[in-house]
Amino acid sequence: MKEDYNILIAGVGGQGNLVCGRVLSEAARLKDLHPVIGETFGASRRGGTVLTHLRISNHERGPLIPKGRANLLLGMEPLEALRASIEYAGKQTVAVVSTARVETPESLSDAAEYPPTDKIIEAISSICGEVIAIDPVEALEKSGGLRLLNSYLLGAISVLKGVPISKDDIRESIRRTLQNPDLNLATFDLGVTDALKLSR
Amino acid sequence: MDDDTSPRLMSGNEAMARGALEAGVGFCTSYPGTPSTGIAEYIMSRAESIGIHAEWSVNEKVALEAAAGASWAGIPSLCSMKSLGLNVASDSLLSMNLSESGDGGFVIIVGDDPRGHSTSTEQDSRFYAKAALLPLLEPSGYQEAKDSVAYAFDISRKYKVPVIIRSTTRLSHSRGLVNLCPIDIHDFPRPLKMKENLFNVPDPHLARRDLRIKIRKISEAFDKSTFNRLRVKKEAELLTIASGICQKYAEEAMEEIGVENTGTLGLVTTHPLPKKVVAKAIKRAQNILFLEETDPFVEDAIRSFSTELISVSCKFHGKQNDLVPAHGEINTDLAIQGAQKALGLKFSRLDEKEEKIRESARKLLIRRPLTFCAGCTHRNVYWAVRKVKQRLGGKLFVAGDIGCYSLGVFYDEAISTLFSMGSGIGIASGLGQLHSFGLDSRIAAVAGDSTFLHACIPALINAKHKNANVTLMILDNSTTAMTGFQKHPGEEDQPEGQRMVSIEKIVQAIDPDFYAVGDAADLSSTIALIHSTVRKDGLNVLLFKSICRLEEQRMGESYTEQGRVYIDSDACHGESCKICAAQFGCVAIGWHDETARPIIYDHVCVRCGACVIVCPHDAIKQG
């Protein structure tokens, strides 16, 4: 590949952010590419912001995506997608964002107001070249709940053009990497279907 | 064994651990701490099959001493820890350094956490290498992380000194491709032969003199090391000198700034400096930009060394002249900015319009502080502390400590201090003696089980001995939860070959004036027990049986047998109360704006029923 491809996964601890990153980095390995994946631990299970930086290149890069240089933003939560896009997105960025909100301790206690989802998507759209806002709730109720959000979103991004890893690579990586691959692959396919509907 | 040596993605931690195994390490000690935990975890997962020893020691000082002992018996030894762990171990490090390390070699890996992602402070541990006069390596990538460990053992064996390797969070916790070599089944020379003269007296100053001579020789060895890479044409306009992961940022920054005549010096051996390599680099550049994590360690050393060189005309830039920040993490953007400032170029990533768009987007953001897991019993204890504080008119001071329960600082400031392992009861033992000075607040401290064993025992003895009025609450969830469930001596269930050391018996041996065991899963009794105890004078210890829900789930616990938690909408007082969602703050409780009622997220809820007690209107039900 000529140019690096940077994927940023933004979400909340406990959403399966790191698993997403692992699936995509192993998928890049299947293509003989040189992924470097930077994970933020510690907060990952305690409800804080979690970012996974995945840089795909033909040589070893530093683990952090430079500011504004994400090619693909996988937003597992709207507020976190916005927070990440302000720092790491630009006109070249395609953002796929789940609209399922995860309240913060302060929004629950009325110490802060969680902004309306449409305002968040609007703000992300003002920064990114393209935004696909996707509501996972209906599909995930069918498949097995919000625990499967990561597989669903992996399905959603697999239909995008210009991503150096293909749908088949991601499927194969899920098969190799995840426990219970059948349920995850079925949920992946729901993500594919919903994303195709939206991008038409 | 482990025959598959095909290249694979490994974290910096895994790569360093693998490097140690390939280099023939035989004795590995550690105490868990982010970002270093994964090193010992990787080694432990393979230790038995290779036939080597790996342990979670009770604290880092003991870990260092144990590994040093094994090294003196001729076994290649490794000790890994986080930055603050090296502080704990430093008392021994700064005296053992003067006695030669053993024939097998001794390597210490320290994981620093720039920005303090998972640390109560930000610290550059490299100054320990300087203080202890020990060689220091800072690998820049995953393969190099692995290879540097074998090199560290070589240096240690050749010069008979411990060697320190410094990693940082970004290297330790990110993954890249690594080529592997086979690991041989280890065979150590028998009988073991102990080294002699393992003390520095009566002439420690002469031992220090000898170590200084040795470190000069190591500088010459570092000059020949292929780990240091100088890439520069003649007379570069700008040359970066970078160490650790910053080498990657430097390379990318030099590609980005669009200046043709630049160069890079990547330093892995940063103490002692490879002086010839550095001198060669300095002479070929007009401007030098230092890039390194945290303090200007390499920068200061090279600025100082440059005064020994004649006709140095280049300008130095870095943390000392504020072109690169000396706090927080370095990244490619900061490297680009530093480079552009050094060359007097204008820097702007975004035009005005783009900047404005981001500014208005930023206004929408709200914070997302960390919080306890659903059903975590630490939340129960802090809810109880909050209630007791209210009853005592706020006159209860709780000193905090290091672990998951540190999150108490974000939970209505349930704890008022947060520093180092064991500092809670230490601070409390001082405050608890101030009642004769007119202090009118009750004094308490919290500590987890692993933290208690690590560092609380001397302070607890001090509190008893000095007659302090203190209540220590030990939140015993039987695991080192914060760092990922490592075993400690206080757990009933021990791996083969290890024996339990009872926290209860230790406490009773110290003989507090009042001792009770509480059940942190039972909110009502927890409130009552804390309320009655903290008002008693003397030394009180409450051992709260606690539950880590993550550990429980990891062990296969499912909550389907307990009844579902649900909201009785008619009984609920809605917005006018909202205690469950707004104050108790369990992540399994949300709020539904349209109905103005809480909702229970069943996929998150562990059905512990704590919120049932919290609701003053009996509107949260279970069954």
Side-chain angles (χ1 to χ4, degrees):
Chain A
M1 60 195 294
K2 269 189 190 157
E3 289 197 5
D4 299 351
Y5 193 87
N6 299 317
I7 302 176
L8 186 67
I9 308 167
V12 177
Q15 282 192 310
N17 188 309
L18 310 182
V19 174
C20 253
R22 192 152 298 182
V23 168
L24 289 174
S25 57
E26 291 297 338
R29 280 292 297 141
L30 295 172
K31 274 267 179 294
D32 260 340
L33 295 167
H34 205 132
V36 167
I37 180 163
E39 300 161 345
T40 48
F41 279 48
S44 62
R45 278 166 156 167
R46 289 164 188 93
T49 298
V50 180
L51 286 181
T52 299
H53 295 240
L54 172 59
R55 311 197 64 193
I56 303 173
S57 179
N58 50 18
H59 63 294
E60 188 172 292
R61 279 298 188 189
L64 292 170
I65 298 170
K67 298 281 153 67
R69 290 299 182 87
N71 298 94
L72 170 60
L73 169 64
L74 176 50
M76 305 189 75
E77 201 280 337
L79 180 67
E80 295 316 318
L82 175 62
R83 201 188 309 278
S85 67
I86 292 169
E87 293 298 317
Y88 294 103
K91 284 295 164 214
Q92 80 290 346
T93 309
V94 180
V96 175
V97 182
S98 161
T99 56
R101 296 149 60 120
V102 178
E103 298 284 335
T104 74
E106 288 169 345
S107 68
L108 279 171
S109 66
D110 294 333
E113 195 190 342
Y114 193 113
T117 311
D118 55 341
K119 287 261 185 269
I120 292 180
I121 299 298
E122 200 181 299
I124 298 173
S125 304
S126 70
I127 296 167
C128 298
E130 188 188 345
V131 178
I132 300 170
I134 189 162
D135 183 353
V137 173
E138 200 184 314
L140 292 178
E141 270 170 13
K142 274 187 268 174
S143 79
L146 280 166
R147 284 173 201 276
L148 290 156
L149 179 68
N150 46 15
S151 293
Y152 177 81
L153 289 174
L154 285 171
I157 63 162
S158 74
V159 307
L160 299 175
K161 295 199 174 67
V163 185
I165 37 186
S166 70
K167 190 160 93 181
D168 290 342
D169 297 330
I170 303 176
R171 284 188 67 100
E172 178 58 27
S173 178
I174 287 178
R175 209 187 310 277
R176 291 184 188 194
T177 317
L178 297 190
Q179 291 173 347
N180 204 346
D182 291 343
L183 182 60
N184 281 290
L185 285 172
T187 313
F188 177 90
D189 291 336
L190 292 174
V192 172
T193 313
D194 286 0
L196 283 174
K197 272 186 229 158
L198 285 170
S199 57
R200 247 170 228 160
Chain B
M1 80 118 341
D2 243 3
D3 284 335
D4 179 10
T5 53
S6 58
R8 67 195 62 184
L9 290 172
M10 290 181 116
S11 70
N13 278 345
E14 290 167 349
M16 287 185 284
R18 177 79 194 190
L21 293 178
E22 291 177 7
V25 73
F27 197 91
C28 164
T29 60
S30 184
Y31 182 82
T34 315
S36 69
T37 312
I39 301 166
E41 275 185 337
Y42 184 95
I43 291 176
M44 282 175 197
S45 69
R46 286 151 179 81
E48 202 180 334
S49 58
I50 306 170
I52 62 169
H53 176 85
E55 67 173 45
W56 292 121
S57 309
V58 72
N59 67 30
E60 293 88 350
K61 183 168 180 285
V62 174
L64 185 86
E65 290 153 354
S71 148
W72 289 321
I75 298 170
S77 299
L78 178 80
C79 183
S80 56
M81 63 193 80
K82 75 177 289 171
S83 54
L84 308 194
L86 194 49
N87 298 347
V88 177
S90 63
D91 196 11
S92 289
L93 178 74
L94 287 167
S95 113
M96 287 174 178
N97 59 328
L98 300 184
S99 281
E100 294 190 332
S101 61
D103 291 344
F106 185 20
V107 174
I108 298 158
I109 304 180
V110 59
D112 275 353
D113 187 18
R115 160 69 180 81
H117 290 285
S118 312
T119 308
S120 59
T121 181
E122 180 182 65
Q123 170 178 308
D124 190 329
S125 299
R126 294 177 295 177
F127 66 85
Y128 281 118
K130 201 171 166 185
L133 298 168
L134 295 179
L136 173 72
L137 308 179
E138 293 184 69
S140 72
Y142 314 93
Q143 183 70 45
E144 202 166 85
K146 196 197 83 162
D147 297 342
S148 67
V149 180
Y151 180 61
F153 272 108
D154 286 346
I155 293 287
S156 177
R157 281 189 280 255
K158 183 162 180 195
Y159 295 94
K160 301 280 183 287
V161 287
V163 176
I164 302 176
I165 298 177
R166 182 219 198 193
S167 179
T168 54
T169 303
R170 286 295 157 195
L171 177 61
S172 281
H173 278 184
S174 63
R175 313 168 80 81
L177 274 183
V178 180
N179 293 304
L180 304 187
C181 302
I183 300 169
D184 300 323
I185 297 290
H186 293 50
D187 197 12
F188 301 104
R190 285 169 202 260
L192 292 176
K193 193 169 159 272
M194 272 306 287
K195 216 171 167 61
E196 290 171 356
N197 295 321
L198 294 171
F199 44 82
N200 307 321
V201 287
D203 293 314
H205 62 300
L206 299 182
R208 229 173 121 70
R209 175 200 62 191
D210 295 345
L211 186 55
R212 277 194 187 281
I213 294 167
K214 209 180 260 185
I215 206 85
R216 288 209 176 126
K217 284 188 190 144
I218 294 172
S219 168
E220 286 162 21
F222 282 175
D223 268 325
K224 293 181 193 117
S225 164
T226 52
F227 281 97
N228 303 315
R229 281 181 305 262
L230 177 61
R231 294 193 193 95
V232 64
K233 294 171 208 157
K234 262 189 184 170
E235 261 314 275
E237 202 177 332
L238 177 69
L239 177 95
T240 58
I241 299 183
S243 70
I245 195 81
C246 290
Q247 280 200 41
K248 294 284 187 294
Y249 307 144
E251 283 162 21
E252 196 164 1
M254 292 306 98
E255 290 171 26
E256 291 275 329
I257 57 166
V259 174
E260 220 166 87
N261 197 4
T262 63
T264 57
L265 171 60
L267 282 184
V268 173
T269 68
T270 51
H271 184 264
L273 281 180
K275 288 188 171 177
K276 280 183 195 149
V277 175
V278 169
K280 192 170 161 191
I282 290 177
K283 283 175 185 162
R284 291 195 186 174
Q286 294 162 22
N287 290 284
I288 293 210
L289 177 70
F290 296 102
L291 293 165
E292 56 191 317
E293 290 287 19
T294 325
D295 288 336
F297 180 84
V298 172
E299 177 177 347
D300 283 354
I302 293 180
R303 280 177 186 266
S304 162
F305 166 60
S306 72
T307 61
E308 294 173 26
L309 301 171
I310 32 166
S311 72
V312 170
S313 58
C314 71
K315 280 187 191 149
F316 292 117
H317 310 275
K319 295 173 193 276
Q320 290 293 12
N321 62 344
D322 296 331
L323 264 58
V324 179
H327 64 276
E329 282 188 296
I330 303 303
N331 56 40
T332 302
D333 301 285
L334 292 172
I336 293 170
Q337 280 175 37
Q340 285 172 322
K341 284 181 196 162
L343 295 176
L345 302 171
K346 271 204 170 168
F347 174 78
S348 174
R349 180 170 70 84
L350 300 166
D351 61 28
E352 213 173 297
K353 193 180 144 213
E354 289 286 308
E355 202 63 78
K356 271 195 177 155
I357 286 171
R358 278 163 180 75
E359 213 169 285
S360 68
R362 203 169 275 129
K363 283 184 189 141
L364 284 176
L365 291 178
I366 56 172
R367 305 185 314 152
R368 191 180 292 282
L370 301 184
T371 182
F372 298 106
C373 305
C376 175
T377 55
H378 296 337
R379 183 189 287 103
N380 293 358
V381 171
Y382 286 142
W383 179 259
V385 164
R386 181 197 301 216
K387 291 289 153 199
V388 173
K389 272 188 185 173
Q390 284 167 0
R391 290 183 197 177
L392 299 177
K395 294 200 180 300
L396 172 65
F397 183 95
V398 184
D401 223 299
I402 304 295
C404 286
Y405 48 93
S406 298
L407 292 176
V409 294
F410 305 125
Y411 192 78
D412 197 28
E413 295 184 25
I415 54 172
S416 300
T417 69
L418 177 58
F419 297 104
S420 57
M421 294 286 281
S423 65
I425 181 63
I427 292 165
S429 85
L431 291 175
Q433 297 177 62
L434 296 184
H435 293 105
S436 65
F437 286 71
L439 181 79
D440 63 350
S441 194
R442 307 307 300 172
I443 302 299
V446 292
D449 36 355
S450 191
T451 302
F452 177 81
L453 295 167
H454 178 291
C456 293
I457 297 166
L460 189 60
I461 293 171
N462 196 54
K464 168 73 196 266
H465 183 230
K466 304 302 178 303
N467 215 5
N469 295 317
V470 168
T471 299
L472 172 64
M473 296 179 272
I474 303 170
L475 313 184
D476 182 2
N477 60 9
S478 282
T479 188
T480 318
M482 191 79 193
T483 45
F485 325 111
Q486 292 76 25
K487 287 271 173 199
H488 66 67
E491 298 175 42
E492 270 178 34
D493 183 23
Q494 291 290 333
E496 208 188 315
Q498 296 190 13
R499 293 186 293 177
M500 182 193 182
V501 178
S502 159
I503 292 175
E504 180 161 22
K505 284 185 181 163
I506 294 172
V507 170
Q508 283 175 338
I510 295 170
D511 196 17
D513 298 292
F514 177 75
Y515 170 77
V517 177
D519 176 7
D522 180 346
L523 195 48
S524 306
S525 72
T526 298
I527 296 171
L529 182 58
I530 295 176
H531 185 232
S532 64
T533 307
V534 295
R535 289 177 296 158
K536 293 184 209 288
D537 277 348
L539 177 64
N540 312 309
V541 178
L542 298 178
L543 182 69
F544 278 107
K545 296 290 174 195
S546 306
I547 303 168
C548 173
R549 302 296 177 182
L550 289 174
E551 170 74 347
E552 202 175 53
Q553 287 156 26
R554 204 171 69 96
M555 292 301 163
E557 179 78 26
S558 96
Y559 304 105
T560 44
E561 278 178 25
Q562 288 96 320
R564 267 178 95 131
V565 176
Y566 64 96
I567 306 297
D568 178 346
S569 279
D570 296 333
C572 177
H573 285 217
E575 286 285 353
S576 68
C577 169
K578 214 178 176 178
I579 286 173
C580 57
Q583 292 180 29
F584 187 58
C586 177
V587 289
I589 307 175
W591 192 257
H592 194 246
D593 280 329
E594 280 126 59
T595 57
R597 290 291 179 271
I599 34 174
I600 305 294
Y601 298 123
D602 197 48
H603 71 285
V604 183
C605 180
V606 302
R607 305 183 180 185
C608 69
C611 56
V612 175
I613 312 289
V614 165
C615 177
H617 306 294
D618 294 329
I620 306 182
K621 297 203 157 79
Q622 184 167 17

